[in-house]
């Protein structure tokens, strides 16, 4: 007995600051409650209970994040230094929570009792079992805890101050997403294909991330970002171990945010996944991934920035151009937005590369602005439906502006925001990152950014032309109205407008968050 | 005052857009009322403007986005004032002229029925932005108006234009957007330069101050100049960036074409005068030979192309390309009579080309075709239409006694005193102008009355009310341009001081002096 006590004495109990970690804990706790609900509650009540648990969990976590942000100057490490609680992190986490809440509105959407998710994922598409489960009115409600787990991972990812925690967060965030991707109710083969592709490529990139972590551990003798930074400044930055480690780690990170040349998964996954989930991935996952990129490059590798900057320049330029150019040829609206999201990833990297406070704050602002517009845009996509589900092909959108001026007008507004037209949040965000990059001496990047914005404008405008200037199809899609989706669209449009016209308060928030910098 | 001029049409646009369906008549009346109020207010402002007072008057300045160093700052100098007047006077006339444009249905090419109130809401939104873009004294604010302005125009062309409207609308938007984005890079660059000089700002007054000007290295200045200049050259449009204009103006409904060519394009030349010259004096001088060459090419090339057109609206659009050559020639000649003449030209061109577009629009809506060879002998059936068309056309070809003559003469004199060869070549443009205008007139209005034209009605009372004020202004400014020139001259003088240019001593005895 005594030996056991002795052993316990040798390993000190980790000190956990529950208060500072509460947002993450609340979300993960809500996810566990969701699992219990799934196991114990009668089938008829599950849907209501799950939605309630998810919404309450996300709202509570958000409220706690706000409280942490205004309570004291948050600049702490928690859980023995494994997690940072600081201004930028709280900003990112708050953004993720709000966007997750908005996406939840889409996920919970039910028009005529139809959920956008399949009734039983295990059935073969088109099989008698599937028909049976449809007839039986089975409804999948595991999606809610799964989404919460994913959101929990997203919250930890940008907060993780050591690479192992970050890796665990990466997996917690990715695994539920792989699964959720394959759950679309319609076009199930496409959806399952997307899930498999996402899983395989994601697993591949995780391996890269882990390999990079191992090499960095070999270099610095620690996986803690602050130790790596210290080792870099002590030993100089030319060690092959270090450089190889940084390269592999970057591959893992850039894969998650879908930067070129690691962008190949994005269009397939965005197209195949249920649109509500695409909204979640395009907003929250991107925010989390960029948050992780920011932390690794601003904390761990800041002293090495002369070495990684040229590489990131190339990645940013490639990402912007690939996203903008390939999007032109797309005929599916979700694929088009996927490429647009790739291009926006490039603009975000422009802000990341600035490696100054302006770069940090502008990237934060861009993330929030882009997230709201994206969820709004995908929400509109879920509303426009054909007999066989959402009207994905762009040609089906022809003349929508004449039949549904409000819906088409809102979508056009989102597209203009993506294109960066003044008086929308997209413009403010673009201006902020370009200004930061220019101040950081990255003039060529800004010019490439401007040119690719011009290219990107072409395909956004093409959709507007199609919606407003073409004749409506005789059997064109109809608009399925549901209050939750409409609410998501309204919030997205409202924020897009406000951040375009009076961006002052939000910019101020991003700036004061960035001023504290990441805790080491 | 200026804020009211921006806000009233903006609110009016919202109001019209929110009117219930089916109240088309009310929408038109509200739009007309709002634009008339704005016109009256702007005339009041013009009367209160003191040409000998401070350069910028009616100024307002508030923080807008403090984090970026952006102000909401507006104010007018003489140049901005006359251009705002041009816009606010043209818009109510355009509203009246396009009274039935949006709800026209029938005819082969006629677009299907479209929302009437949206059309007028877009016109009002456009007016708000036109006033804003001329009034902005903060470069960022200017850029915002400059870009945002594209959207209403895009929808007007794309939804209410001719058969090829969507092609024209997209071409227009992409050209302008591309230029605008280059300008965005330059705007950011300008801010960064000013921040390096110690005080990051977008305010025009502070940016043109010597402390910041001297801080820009000549190479940087050239790049920034190019960013602004290309945007303005696309807007103006200067050859070789002009190809969007004939499409846009040809496909747009006549009323909108008036605003595109009459006012929007002036933003380009206005921007060159205000921003390119004053913020980058050194670079402007360095680029002068290039700009002069392009201008002269534009004058001749635009005129030659105009002669060859078969579509009336496209023809007028090409004449504008030629006229914009004169305007940029005058601006970059960097003499006081050149720049004053160019500014006056902007106003005159707005009115005379506006009248041409409106009258052509009236004629086209009667016959249902924009082709020149679809007409003939219109004079006999519609003498008023033909007569006013002739006056507007003659002003376009700079007949003495009509407004354009004064400005064209000033531009040529101003250019000749410094750059002889370009001025001499530009004179060819006048001859070509006589050809394209008179030949078009001859083919459409004179000769035997074409069969399809026989039943054509003359101008209605509404159309007459639209055209009469413009013709009156054209004649009035032809004989007595002094009030406009008085407002313009002090501003131009400031610009010339900023670029360190004095008028060269006349080598030939100055003939004719200023009118």
């Amino acid at each position: 007995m005594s030996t056991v006590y002795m052993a316990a004495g040798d390993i000190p109990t980790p000190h956990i600051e529950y208060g500072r970690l509460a947002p993450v804990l609340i979300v993960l706790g809500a996810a566990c409650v969701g699992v219990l609900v799934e196991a114990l509650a009668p089938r008829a009540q599950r849907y209501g209970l799950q939605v309630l648990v998810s919404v309450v969990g996300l709202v509570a976590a958000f409220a706690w994040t706000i409280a942490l942000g205004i309570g004291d100057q948050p600049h702490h490490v928690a859980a023995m230094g494994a997690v940072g609680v600081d201004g930028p992190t709280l900003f990112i986490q708050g953004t993720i929570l709000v966007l997750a809440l908005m996406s939840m509105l889409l996920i919970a959407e039910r028009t005529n009792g139809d959920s956008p998710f399949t009734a039983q994922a295990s059935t073969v598409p088109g099989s008698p079992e599937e028909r049976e489960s449809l007839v039986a009115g089975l409804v999948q409600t595991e999606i809610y805890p799964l989404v919460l787990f994913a959101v929990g991972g997203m919250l930890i990812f940008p907060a993780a101050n050591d690479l192992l925690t970050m890796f665990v967060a990466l997996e917690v965030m990715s695994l539920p997403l792989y699964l959720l991707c394959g759950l679309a109710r319609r076009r199930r083969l496409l959806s399952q294909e997307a899930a498999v592709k996402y899983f395989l490529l994601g697993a591949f990139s995780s391996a890269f991330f882990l390999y990079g972590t191992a090499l960095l551990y070999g270099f610095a003798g620690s996986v803690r970002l602050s130790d790596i930074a210290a080792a870099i400044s002590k030993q100089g930055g030319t060690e092959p171990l270090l450089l190889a480690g940084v390269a592999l780690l970057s591959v893992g990170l850039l894969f998650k945010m879908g930067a070129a040349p690691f962008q190949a998964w994005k269009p397939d996954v965005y197209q195949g996944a249920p649109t509500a989930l695409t909204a979640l991935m395009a907003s929250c996952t991107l925010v989390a991934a960029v948050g992780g990129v920011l932390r690794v490059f601003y904390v761990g590798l800041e002293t090495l920035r002369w070495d990684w900057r040229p590489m990131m320049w190339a990645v940013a330029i490639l990402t912007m151009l690939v996203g903008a150019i390939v999007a032109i040829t797309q005929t599916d609206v979700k694929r088009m937005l996927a490429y647009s999201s790739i291009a926006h990833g490039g603009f975000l990297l422009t802000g990341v590369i600035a490696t100054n406070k302006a770069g940090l704050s502008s990237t934060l602002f861009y993330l929030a602005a882009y997230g709201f517009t994206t969820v709004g845009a995908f929400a509109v996509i879920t509303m426009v439906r054909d007999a066989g589900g959402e009207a994905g092909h762009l040609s089906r959108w022809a003349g929508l502006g004449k039949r549904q001026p409000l819906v088409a007008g809102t979508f056009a507004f989102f597209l203009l925001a993506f294109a960066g037209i003044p008086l929308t949040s997209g413009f403010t965000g673009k201006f902020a990152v370009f200004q930061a990059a220019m101040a950081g001496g990255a003039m060529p990047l800004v010019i490439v950014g401007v040119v690719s914005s011009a290219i990107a404008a072409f395909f956004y405008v093409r959709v507007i032309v199609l919606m407003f200037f073409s004749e409506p199809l005789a059997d064109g899609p109809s608009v399925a109205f549901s209050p939750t989706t409409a609410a998501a669209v309204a919030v997205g449009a409202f924020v897009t407008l406000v951040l375009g016209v009076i961006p002052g308060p939000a910019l101020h928030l991003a700036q004061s968050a960035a001023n504290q910098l990441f805790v080491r | 005052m200026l804020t009211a001029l921006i806000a009233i049409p903006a609110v009016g646009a919202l109001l019209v857009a929110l009117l219930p369906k089916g109240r088309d008549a009310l929408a038109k009346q509200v739009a007309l009322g709002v634009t008339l109020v704005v016109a009256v207010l702007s005339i009041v402002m013009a009367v209160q403007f003191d040409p000998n007072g401070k350069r910028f008057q009616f100024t307002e300045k508030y923080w807008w986005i403090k984090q970026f160093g952006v102000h909401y700052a507006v104010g007018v100098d003489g140049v901005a004032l006359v251009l705002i007047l041009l816009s606010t006077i043209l818009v109510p006339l355009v509203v009246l002229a396009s009274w039935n444009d949006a709800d026209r249905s029938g005819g082969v090419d006629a677009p299907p029925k479209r929302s009437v109130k949206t059309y007028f809401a877009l016109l009002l939104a456009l007016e708000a932005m036109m006033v804003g873009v001329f009034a902005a004294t903060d470069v960022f604010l200017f850029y915002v108006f400059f870009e945002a302005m594209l959207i209403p125009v895009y929808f007007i062309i794309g939804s209410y234009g001719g058969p090829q409207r969507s092609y024209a609308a997209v071409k227009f938007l992409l050209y302008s957007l591309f230029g605008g984005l280059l300008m965005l890079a330059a705007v950011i660059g300008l801010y960064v330069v000013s921040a390096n000089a110690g005080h990051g700002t977008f305010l025009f007054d502070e940016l043109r101050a010597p402390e910041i000007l001297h801080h820009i290295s000549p190479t940087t200045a050239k790049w920034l100049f190019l960013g602004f200049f290309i945007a303005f050259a696309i807007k103006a449009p200067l050859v070789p960036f002009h190809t969007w204009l004939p499409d846009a103006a040809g496909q747009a409904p006549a009323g909108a074409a008036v605003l595109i060519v009459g006012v929007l394009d002036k933003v380009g030349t206005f921007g060159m005068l205000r921003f390119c010259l004053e913020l980058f004096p050194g670079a402007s001088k360095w680029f002068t030979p290039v700009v002069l060459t392009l201008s002269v090419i534009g004058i001749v090339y635009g005129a030659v192309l105009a002669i060859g057109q078969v579509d009336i609206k496209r023809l007028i659009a090409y004449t504008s390309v030629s006229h914009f050559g004169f305007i940029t020639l005058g601006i970059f000649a960097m003499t006081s009579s050149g720049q004053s003449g160019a500014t006056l030209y902007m106003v005159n061109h707005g009115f005379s080309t506006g009248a041409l577009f409106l009258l052509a629009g009236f004629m086209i809506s009667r016959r249902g075709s924009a082709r020149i060879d679809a007409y003939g002998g219109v004079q006999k059936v519609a003498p008023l239409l033909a007569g006013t068309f002739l006056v507007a056309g003659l002003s376009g070809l700079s007949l003495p006694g009509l407004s354009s003559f004064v400005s064209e003469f000033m531009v040529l004199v101003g250019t000749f005193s410094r750059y002889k060869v370009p001025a001499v070549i530009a004179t060819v443009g006048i001859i070509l102008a006589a050809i394209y205008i008179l030949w078009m007139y001859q083919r459409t209005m004179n000769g035997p009355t074409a069969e399809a034209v026989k039943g054509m009605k003359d101008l209605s009372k509404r159309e007459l009310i639209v055209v009469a004020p413009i013709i009156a202004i054209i004649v009035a400014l032809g004989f007595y341009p002094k009030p406009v020139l008085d407002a313009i001259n002090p501003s131009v003088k400031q610009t010339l001081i900023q670029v360190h240019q004095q008028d060269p001593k006349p080598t030939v005895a100055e003939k004719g002096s200023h009118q």
Side-chain angles (χ1 to χ4, degrees), chain A residues 187-374:
Chain A
R187 303 198 195 146
R188 289 198 48 208
L189 277 177
L190 202 64
S191 169
Q192 294 182 346
E193 182 190 329
V196 172
K197 272 186 186 160
Y198 194 22
F199 172 67
L200 288 178
L201 288 173
F204 204 45
S205 82
S206 295
F208 272 99
F209 187 94
L210 211 52
Y211 207 157
T213 307
L215 292 184
L216 285 177
Y217 181 77
F219 166 76
S222 165
V223 288
R224 184 69 44 89
L225 288 174
S226 50
D227 293 343
I228 294 173
I232 291 171
S233 38
K234 209 186 306 166
Q235 307 176 25
T238 48
E239 288 267 337
L241 260 187
L242 169 68
L243 295 181
V246 170
L248 292 175
L249 190 69
S250 311
V251 171
L253 286 169
L254 293 174
F255 173 86
K256 267 293 151 211
M257 69 172 282
F262 316 108
Q263 87 292 3
W265 60 274
K266 237 181 187 181
D268 290 338
V269 173
Y270 277 25
Q271 186 189 12
T275 307
L277 198 78
T278 311
L280 182 81
M281 288 193 290
S283 57
C284 299
T285 313
L286 186 78
V287 175
V290 175
V293 169
L294 280 173
R295 181 172 286 277
V296 167
F297 284 95
Y298 275 52
V299 176
L301 308 175
E302 203 210 352
T303 36
L304 196 68
R305 65 166 175 270
W306 297 110
D307 290 292
W308 59 256
R309 251 201 199 159
M311 174 192 88
M312 291 296 267
W313 269 57
V315 170
I317 289 176
L318 196 64
T319 308
M320 289 189 277
L321 289 178
V322 165
I325 293 171
V326 182
I328 294 176
T329 62
Q330 299 307 314
T331 52
D332 183 282
V333 65
K334 278 161 83 182
R335 279 185 91 81
M336 188 199 82
L337 285 190
Y339 279 103
S340 136
S341 149
I342 294 170
H344 283 276
F347 298 136
L348 282 161
L349 284 178
T350 314
V352 173
I353 291 168
T355 41
N356 50 22
K357 270 184 194 167
L360 183 54
S361 71
S362 62
T363 311
L364 292 179
F365 179 84
Y366 200 118
L367 281 173
Y370 177 71
F372 280 101
T373 313
T374 305

Side-chain angles (χ1 to χ4, degrees), chain A residues 356 358 431-440 443 446 507 511, chain B residues 63 65-71 138-141 143 182-204 206-208 212-213 215-216 220 224 228 279-280:
Chain A
N356 50 22
F431 187 87
V433 291
F434 286 167
Q435 197 181 37
M438 193 85 108
M443 174 93 160
V446 174
L507 279 169
Q511 261 179 11
Chain B
W63 277 113
I65 311 175
K66 213 168 178 181
Q67 286 77 9
F68 291 164
V70 174
H71 285 90
D138 180 289
V139 181
F140 186 96
L141 186 67
Y143 175 79
L182 287 181
M183 185 169 134
L184 175 66
V187 168
I188 297 173
L190 201 57
Y191 178 83
V192 171
V193 168
S194 72
N196 289 342
H199 175 55
T201 181
F202 285 109
L203 285 176
F204 177 69
E206 295 177 5
L207 284 172
R208 70 192 287 275
I212 290 179
L213 278 187
H215 202 84
I216 310 181
T220 318
L224 295 180
F228 278 91
L279 296 181
F280 318 105

